[in-house]
Amino acid sequence: MLVARFRRLDLAEDGLADAFEAAARTWPDAGVPGNPGGWLLTAARRRVLDRLRSEEVLARSMPRLAVDAELTEEAQRVMADPGDELLDERLRLVLLCAHPRLSREAAAALTLRLVLGISTDDIARLFLQTTPTMAARLTRARRKLAGERFVVPTGADLVDRVGVVAQVAYLAFTAGYAPGSGPDVVRTELAGEAIRLVRVLRTLLPYDDSELTALQALMLLQHSRRDARVTDDGALVLLPDQDRSRWHGDEIGEALDLLRPLTGAPPAPYLLQALIAAEHAIAATPSDTAWERIVERYDELLALRETPVVRLGRAIAVAEAEGPEAGLTALAGVALPGHRLPAVRAELLLRLGDHARARAAYDTAITLCANDAERAHLVRRRAELA
């Protein structure tokens, strides 16, 4: 909110830090206010305004320095946000985080943390990094943006940042659709925010971007299953066991409409993933799923982007199309941090009747799983072996 109003990241961070320092100093004696968040926000806002006034005074006292004159202009401009430079303030902040000073990975990680509030732990899992490593990268990224103006890029600069914003939205959606930690099967609001981000970006751009269109379709298809993925008591429901009548047909229809004009388009990562999701959406029952076509899509995706996550998805599809032994063969050599790889291996071993190795794989997955609902599902599956 502070960045959205004043459009300077350094001012927002300094103001909030001063507010927390003031709270730590005064609340023990005066007591915690009735609305602590509002108190902190008001205190931070006052400190930012004080800083802007100080910069303006400094600029007037040193008129010979062009940089100080620019500070005066900046202070006057940010004090009153015209509100007509972009369709969405949050997107404006995302575009700031997509600054060319930052690498694509750093820009995506910083946006997830700063704009959407995803924990450093979850961001580290998304990027297959340790938490300390990711925390250090986030700190370096924030420092690189200190002092940058909160303005909207235009022309070629805007186009250059679109790919970064798309990656940010995709990672944010992943964090909402399949949280790496916490109690939730799905974080609906976060996934919905990522979809909204892509909608706004597509509206803003002066041209049609087929990969952005495919990304929106992919998100809608995955998000359409949210109600069927969790029971009333919060338990995980896997895709084959979901009540497909609870899928959101309007979102599926919108996604399929987005994909139709892309028929025959060159293969691209978001497009191929959307086509895989569409195969599930158009199948009336799990047995109607065209797993052979899904394997073919994964093969195309591997040719463009060979990652452990893609190989894991392909192995699951191969297991459905050709059997669990073929799926295990497809898993050979895949190295992926976290619980999902051993969880898939455990399920395939269980289908083969190899209970001893399945139990060991479940133990590994349970140990590595930080999501409460997924861990409970793994514990139940392991208990069935007894």
Side-chain angles (χ1 to χ4, degrees), residues 86-87 153-160 162 200-209 212:
L86 250 186
L87 302 177
T154 58
D157 191 13
L158 173 61
V159 175
D160 290 341
V162 167
V200 172
L201 183 58
R202 291 185 63 228
T203 303
L204 171 71
L205 293 178
Y207 59 90
D208 292 329
D209 189 302
L212 274 182

Side-chain angles (χ1 to χ4, degrees), residues 33 146 174 181-182 247 296 298 319 321 329 364 371:
T174 301
S181 63
W247 291 1
E296 292 174 0
Y298 271 116
T329 300
T364 301
N371 181 277

Side-chain angles (χ1 to χ4, degrees), residues 139-277:
T139 300
R140 289 195 297 270
R142 290 162 71 114
R143 288 174 178 169
K144 285 184 178 181
L145 289 185
E148 283 296 327
R149 296 181 178 182
F150 189 51
V151 295
V152 181
T154 58
D157 191 13
L158 173 61
V159 175
D160 290 341
R161 299 193 195 187
V162 167
V164 177
V165 178
Q167 183 183 16
V168 168
Y170 179 74
L171 292 171
F173 179 81
T174 301
Y177 178 77
S181 63
D184 304 317
V185 173
V186 59
R187 297 172 188 168
T188 302
E189 292 185 0
L190 178 56
E193 191 69 21
I195 294 173
R196 187 176 72 89
L197 190 62
V198 174
R199 287 189 192 277
V200 172
L201 183 58
R202 291 185 63 228
T203 303
L204 171 71
L205 293 178
Y207 59 90
D208 292 329
D209 189 302
S210 60
E211 267 289 81
L212 274 182
T213 301
L215 176 58
Q216 184 175 331
L218 170 62
M219 291 178 172
L220 287 169
L221 289 167
Q222 303 282 40
H223 197 52
S224 70
R225 301 198 293 264
R226 59 191 176 276
D227 294 339
R229 295 181 62 221
V230 58
T231 64
D232 293 337
D233 58 358
L236 173 68
V237 182
L238 297 182
L239 180 60
D241 303 319
Q242 291 174 13
D243 179 359
R244 301 192 174 206
S245 67
R246 299 187 66 192
W247 291 1
H248 290 250
D250 57 335
E251 294 173 5
I252 293 174
E254 180 184 353
L256 296 179
D257 287 342
L258 290 171
L259 288 175
R260 285 190 185 95
L262 302 180
T263 302
Y270 293 139
L271 176 58
L272 291 171
Q273 291 176 75
L275 293 174
I276 290 170

Side-chain angles (χ1 to χ4, degrees), residues 260-309:
R260 285 190 185 95
L262 302 180
T263 302
Y270 293 139
L271 176 58
L272 291 171
Q273 291 176 75
L275 293 174
I276 290 170
E279 293 291 350
H280 295 292
I282 63 178
T285 66
S287 60
D288 294 328
T289 306
W291 287 107
E292 294 81 3
R293 281 206 301 268
I294 291 177
V295 173
E296 292 174 0
R297 297 298 188 190
Y298 271 116
D299 288 338
E300 292 181 83
L301 190 55
L302 277 174
L304 294 176
R305 181 180 296 173
E306 183 172 353
T307 69
V309 173

